[in-house]
Every structure is written in structure tokens, then in C-alpha cells.
Amino acid sequence: MFNKETEYAIRGLVYIQVQNSVGRRPGITEIAEEIAAPHFYTGKILQRLVKLGFVESLKGKGGGFGFNPQKPELSLKTVVTAIEGTNLFEGCGIGLKECNHEKPCPIHNKFAPIRDSLEKLVSEETIQSLAIKVNEGNPALMIYLK
């Protein structure tokens, strides 16, 4: 559903939050291994997430990636739209430029509620809420990161 960059970003951010919750700041190599993503690509994604202000990066001993506890929780929608834009929540299911209730595409009436449900889901969940679920040992999430 999401592109690979978004998937890796979400998994990486959740992993960082899980580690931060136990006082650790993971590095790129560890994050890439734990989320089963290519090291170089993970580095590029994390660099972008730092530039966006989603996480902070510290170099040297005791360095790694971490969330600023003074910032509000990070919604999945914020992450998705930063990487993929808003088309996922506004666009046509078959990619037409003009598709709305007045000029619907052939699947508009079935696709629009699905698109709206996805937007609701990512608006309600945060990186932190997913990390809590992982930390609680939810059996369905035990393999979430890999």
C-alpha cells in the first residue's frame, strides 16, 4: 500500500522509539538490520527524517537516533504525507486527474470510503502508539519490525 521508503521509515521510526523507551539510541546499522532494510537506503531515509525534524541524530559515543521528548507524538499521517504527499488520501483509485462525486471514475464510489478509512487510520495512530504495542508484546506485532 505504501511505497518502500514509507514502509522503511515507519518501521525505522517505530524501532527507534522502542529503543528510546529503554534508554537506547540505535545507529543506522542496527536499525537497518532490525527492520530488514538495505543499510545505504536506511541511511538515506533516516537522513531525510532528521531533516524533516521527526528524529534527532547524535554522532560519536552515546550517539544514534532518538525522538525529542519535548515534541508531540508523531502521527503516521504526518510521516506518510511527508514522504508520499497527500495523493494517497485525495487521489483517484485509478489515477485520473479529475475524479470526484460530480465526475466519478468507475470505482470512485467503492474506492473513496476505503481511501477515507486509510486516512482515518493513519491520523489516529502514531509512531509512539505503535511502539507501545510492540513493547507490550502484542503477539501479532512481535515480528512487526522484520
Side-chain angles (χ1 to χ4, degrees):
M1 176 174 316
F2 301 125
N3 69 35
K4 277 294 182 196
E5 182 179 0
T6 303
E7 289 176 6
Y8 292 152
I10 291 169
R11 289 177 9 208
L13 289 167
V14 170
Y15 182 76
I16 292 167
Q17 180 61 47
V18 166
Q19 294 307 308
N20 288 181
S21 71
V22 294
R24 294 192 62 250
R25 296 177 69 89
I28 292 172
T29 301
E30 177 184 341
I31 295 166
E33 287 176 11
E34 292 299 320
I35 68 169
H39 181 273
F40 182 76
Y41 194 37
T42 301
K44 288 269 200 200
I45 292 168
L46 291 171
Q47 185 177 45
R48 184 171 180 193
L49 297 174
V50 169
K51 284 182 183 176
L52 289 166
F54 295 164
V55 289
E56 298 172 345
S57 174
L58 295 175
K59 294 184 180 190
K61 189 174 182 178
F65 293 89
F67 282 88
N68 180 338
Q70 305 302 323
K71 286 191 172 185
E73 291 191 6
L74 179 59
S75 76
L76 290 182
K77 184 175 181 184
T78 300
V79 176
V80 172
T81 57
I83 296 171
E84 297 192 29
T86 59
N87 195 47
L88 187 62
F89 309 117
E90 300 168 355
C92 172
I94 58 174
L96 298 178
K97 288 183 181 184
E98 267 194 64
C99 175
N100 53 45
H101 293 296
E102 290 84 38
K103 293 183 177 182
C105 75
I107 65 167
H108 179 81
N109 292 332
K110 289 184 178 182
F111 179 74
I114 295 167
R115 181 189 62 204
D116 296 344
S117 291
L118 176 61
E119 182 175 17
K120 183 177 188 295
L121 172 98
V122 297
S123 296
E124 292 173 351
E125 291 288 346
T126 65
I127 295 299
Q128 290 76 6
S129 69
L130 294 181
I132 288 168
K133 291 172 185 172
V134 170
N135 278 336
E136 290 174 346
N138 182 329
L141 296 172
M142 295 307 281
I143 59 168
Y144 166 75
L145 296 173
K146 288 190 178 184

